[in-house]
Amino acid sequence: MLQELYVRNFVLIDELRLQLDRGLHVLTGETGAGKSLVLDATRAILGGRVAAHAGNADPSLVEAVFDIQNSDAAQRLLASWGIDHAGEIVIARTFYANGRTQNRVNGRSVTVQMLRELGHTLVELQDQHESVELMTAAYQRRLLDLYGQHEDLVAACAEAYRAWQDALAEWRSAQVSERERAQQIDLYALQVRELEEARLQPGEEDALREERERLKREQHMAEALQQIAASLDDGATGAIARLHDAWRVASSLSGASRHADEIAKLLETARVHAEEASFTLHRLLSRIAGDPGRLEEIEERLALIRRLSRKYGATTAEMLAHLERARAQLEAWMKHEDRLASLEAEVERREARYRDAAKRLHEARVRAASSLSDAISKSLQRLSMAHALCEIEVAWREHAPSEHGLDEIRFLFRANPGQPLMPLQKVASGGELSRMLLAVKVVIANLERTDTLIFDEIDQGVSGEAALRVAEMLRELGQDKQVICVTHAPQVAAAGHVHYLVVKRADANRATSRVEWLDDASRIEEVARLLGSDLSDETARMHARALLESFRSQST
């Protein structure tokens, strides 16, 4: 229940603080005085989109204190958000001139969507457009489901419908021609064949590059060693043969000179070293001389891998992963007919589950429609519509599935005996729609979903005896609930337990609105004003006094 509303710098309101309790709280005032600003401030607290800023540099602020001890739904929501409370919460919204807003619940920042969710558990708010919404099929369906408390059935039906549509979409997307199927099989068979014949190994490309570099280094070394070998061993012209010839000539001079003997020994040593170098060189050549065609094989293998990588992936790992996918796709296309049959069977299973959920929802709606029709009709009869009858029709539409079920729901109405029941939007006048909406709100309020109900000119188009009955019903509703009502009807104003007057003052610079609590004497004057200027002032006051007294005499 709304305990306190504080407003500052909000459109025409400089500052306002209202202390509220149970009962019927009425707001009256001249047209254009700003009565709806109080409701707009409440809408802002509930996450509504409003033009809040007063047009100056100061931010606009709206704060509301709610008692939530009796609202299990609000407490569950706050617990899910991790927001602590002691049976009371403070909701605050600040609107800045640059369009930015700040939203808090008990000091914790929240989103506008969170405020809306919380607001649904705290306040039932009716505005002047809701009587138009009452004529729409969507509103009538929501109303019936709200009354019947069908939340779980509605959610189950919507979930089953979405699951069915998902399966149907998958089945439809799998529909292809036999020609396309053959093309897909050829495509993936070619990819699998190419990659399988390549016999790729993880990390193979890096290993081949390393081996190629090693073989190139060995090839370069072998060529250099062969050049050395040719210099040493090339027959009569090789270094070894020449050293041997030089040694032989030097040896022939033996004894002729001490120096000749020394030269012969050095040449012999050089020849022996050259022969040892040749032996070592040939042994090394035999070790590094591998398969002469191996390097060519590696180049061809790397060329194959590069060609495949342009089609199937940058690395062997990616190409092998593509191979697995291609195998899976090939198998799927080979078994496409089986997959289609499986998908079709799944569509049928999910459709059956949806239709079962829709049937359970339909049966619950039929039961609730009878009860709600009776409750609305009785409420209408209390609102000076003695012969009014409301009947809610729930028609099964087998071939019109939606997430809301298979029902066409219509509110049928007649205001007078002898008239046929017709869809509400075709026969109800403005005043009848207002009373129908009030009747609906009263019925829903009895479900005790929220403690606070707010009405914006629910008496629109209603006057005389009918307005008096509307006033009585609102006052009665206020015995157990908190009801806030903007009104132009003197009967409704007189019925209020608390009366506020909205007054607008204007000077050369700007206009401001303020809200005044009215005492008994002031209420007489305001109700007299609402009664109209066609009565003399004193007569209007007498009528106003009598109207107020008639409600005071009723038990509250």
Side-chain angles (χ1 to χ4, degrees):
M1 183 173 64
L2 179 59
Q3 293 181 308
E4 183 177 319
L5 180 67
Y6 176 73
V7 181
R8 188 180 68 227
N9 199 40
F10 186 88
V11 194
L12 300 181
I13 299 175
D14 285 340
E15 189 170 38
L16 165 68
R17 188 182 299 275
L18 293 180
Q19 303 285 341
L20 303 164
D21 205 340
R22 292 192 183 276
L24 174 60
H25 302 69
V26 296
L27 290 93
T28 63
E30 294 284 358
T31 301
K35 297 183 295 299
S36 292
L37 290 179
V38 177
L39 303 194
D40 287 343
T42 308
R43 284 191 187 92
I45 282 296
L46 304 176
R49 186 173 297 174
V50 295
H53 207 264
N56 53 37
D58 297 328
S60 301
L61 173 66
V62 182
E63 286 185 352
V65 181
F66 284 92
D67 180 344
I68 62 167
Q69 294 182 75
N70 296 326
S71 179
D72 293 338
Q75 292 182 36
R76 284 195 299 271
L77 205 53
L78 292 167
S80 71
W81 297 337
I83 297 178
D84 297 328
H85 64 89
E88 183 178 277
I89 58 171
V90 178
I91 304 177
R93 289 194 80 184
T94 305
F95 300 84
Y96 296 93
N98 62 4
R100 188 171 64 88
T101 63
Q102 186 179 63
N103 316 306
R104 293 186 178 277
V105 175
N106 279 5
R108 284 275 303 276
S109 292
V110 296
T111 65
V112 172
Q113 182 57 37
M114 291 166 73
L115 283 184
R116 289 174 185 155
E117 290 181 44
L118 183 59
H120 286 314
T121 70
L122 299 173
V123 176
E124 178 72 25
L125 193 151
Q126 168 271 335
D127 60 28
Q128 297 179 24
H129 305 291
E130 196 168 350
S131 57
V132 177
E133 280 191 80
L134 179 60
M135 296 186 287
T136 66
Y139 187 96
Q140 292 173 6
R141 183 191 65 249
R142 290 196 302 269
L143 184 61
L144 178 60
D145 288 334
L146 178 64
Y147 175 81
Q149 300 181 21
H150 300 151
E151 292 91 342
D152 292 343
L153 291 172
V154 168
C157 185
E159 183 179 352
Y161 178 80
R162 288 191 292 270
W164 173 34
Q165 293 304 303
D166 288 346
L168 192 60
E170 186 177 2
W171 176 74
R172 284 172 176 162
S173 69
Q175 302 294 315
V176 295
S177 67
E178 187 59 32
R179 179 180 178 183
E180 184 179 351
R181 175 173 172 267
Q183 289 173 341
Q184 294 296 319
I185 289 174
D186 288 346
L187 172 65
Y188 287 111
L190 173 64
Q191 293 180 5
V192 169
R193 185 168 61 254
E194 268 195 315
L195 289 168
E196 285 184 342
E197 287 176 354
R199 299 181 181 277
L200 298 171
Q201 299 296 323
E204 177 183 6
E205 189 175 7
D206 292 337
L208 286 171
R209 287 197 182 99
E210 289 177 6
E211 185 180 359
R212 180 180 63 180
E213 293 306 312
R214 179 178 60 79
L215 288 175
K216 283 184 176 180
R217 288 194 301 272
E218 290 178 356
Q219 186 180 53
H220 178 71
M221 180 181 291
E223 289 173 353
L225 291 175
Q226 285 167 356
Q227 282 184 333
I228 297 171
S231 298
L232 291 173
D233 303 332
D234 190 13
T237 61
I240 294 174
R242 284 175 172 273
L243 285 170
H244 180 75
D245 290 344
W247 169 78
R248 189 159 42 80
V249 171
S251 295
S252 67
L253 299 175
S254 177
S257 167
R258 179 173 59 83
H259 296 293
D261 291 341
E262 186 176 349
I263 290 170
K265 288 179 182 179
L266 290 172
L267 288 171
E268 176 66 11
T269 300
R271 183 182 64 80
V272 170
H273 285 168
E275 287 175 346
E276 287 179 353
S278 175
F279 176 78
T280 303
L281 185 149
H282 284 289
R283 188 172 59 186
L284 181 58
L285 273 172
S286 68
R287 283 206 304 267
I288 64 174
D291 182 356
R294 176 58 182 162
L295 189 58
E296 185 178 351
E297 288 177 5
I298 290 174
E299 293 292 0
E300 289 177 355
R301 181 67 174 173
L302 287 172
L304 172 64
I305 291 173
R306 282 194 299 274
R307 181 173 60 80
L308 293 175
S309 71
R310 286 194 289 270
K311 294 193 284 184
Y312 303 123
T315 65
T316 51
E318 290 180 12
M319 288 186 278
L320 289 170
H322 185 91
L323 173 59
E324 292 305 312
R325 291 194 297 271
R327 283 170 175 162
Q329 287 289 337
L330 179 59
E331 183 179 7
W333 282 107
M334 295 289 287
K335 297 179 179 179
H336 186 64
E337 294 301 322
D338 294 339
R339 179 170 178 263
L340 276 181
S342 175
L343 289 174
E344 188 173 5
E346 183 62 20
V347 169
E348 292 172 356
R349 281 193 295 272
R350 294 190 183 187
E351 181 182 4
R353 284 199 290 269
Y354 163 71
R355 292 189 177 276
D356 181 61
K359 189 67 175 177
R360 290 197 302 273
L361 179 57
H362 171 76
E363 291 167 352
R365 282 171 170 168
V366 169
R367 290 191 296 270
S370 175
S371 175
L372 181 56
S373 298
D374 185 55
I376 291 175
S377 296
K378 288 178 178 177
S379 291
L380 287 172
Q381 288 158 17
R382 292 183 55 201
L383 294 169
S384 290
M385 299 178 71
H387 302 289
L389 180 64
C390 174
E391 185 175 303
I392 301 172
E393 179 184 82
V394 182
W396 179 257
R397 295 289 182 257
E398 181 73 27
H399 302 296
S402 78
E403 63 179 338
H404 307 298
L406 287 160
D407 296 322
E408 181 184 2
I409 298 168
R410 299 194 304 169
F411 277 40
L412 305 178
F413 174 75
R414 77 168 187 214
N416 302 297
Q419 293 179 331
L421 284 163
M422 295 285 287
L424 181 64
Q425 62 270 29
K426 292 186 177 181
V427 293
S429 66
E432 288 167 347
L433 279 174
S434 292
R435 281 179 281 178
M436 169 69 84
L437 185 59
L438 177 58
V440 165
K441 293 291 185 180
V442 168
V443 171
I444 297 300
N446 290 332
L447 298 176
E448 297 185 349
R449 300 178 70 88
T450 60
D451 283 335
T452 301
L453 293 94
I454 299 178
F455 297 102
D456 189 0
E457 298 188 13
I458 190 68
D459 46 36
Q460 194 172 43
V462 180
S463 60
E465 180 69 19
L468 184 61
R469 298 294 169 251
V470 169
E472 290 173 348
M473 185 170 285
L474 288 170
R475 186 177 176 90
E476 182 181 320
L477 195 57
Q479 292 180 4
D480 299 313
K481 301 280 186 179
Q482 180 184 72
V483 183
I484 301 170
C485 183
V486 170
T487 183
H488 284 290
Q491 297 91 336
V492 175
H497 296 98
V498 182
H499 192 158
Y500 296 101
L501 176 65
V502 182
V503 180
K504 183 162 74 173
R505 296 283 185 267
D507 56 27
N509 297 318
R510 70 181 291 250
T512 59
S513 293
R514 71 174 190 272
V515 180
E516 301 174 353
W517 174 82
L518 298 184
D519 59 18
D520 290 346
S522 300
R523 289 191 73 183
I524 293 172
E525 295 297 324
E526 176 61 7
V527 173
R529 183 190 67 80
L530 292 171
L531 283 167
S533 59
D534 55 329
L535 299 173
S536 69
D537 290 346
E538 188 54 39
T539 302
R541 289 192 192 93
M542 288 177 59
H543 190 180
R545 192 178 293 109
L547 197 55
L548 286 161
E549 187 57 38
S550 70
F551 283 108
R552 288 197 192 97
S553 64
Q554 296 177 12
S555 60
T556 59

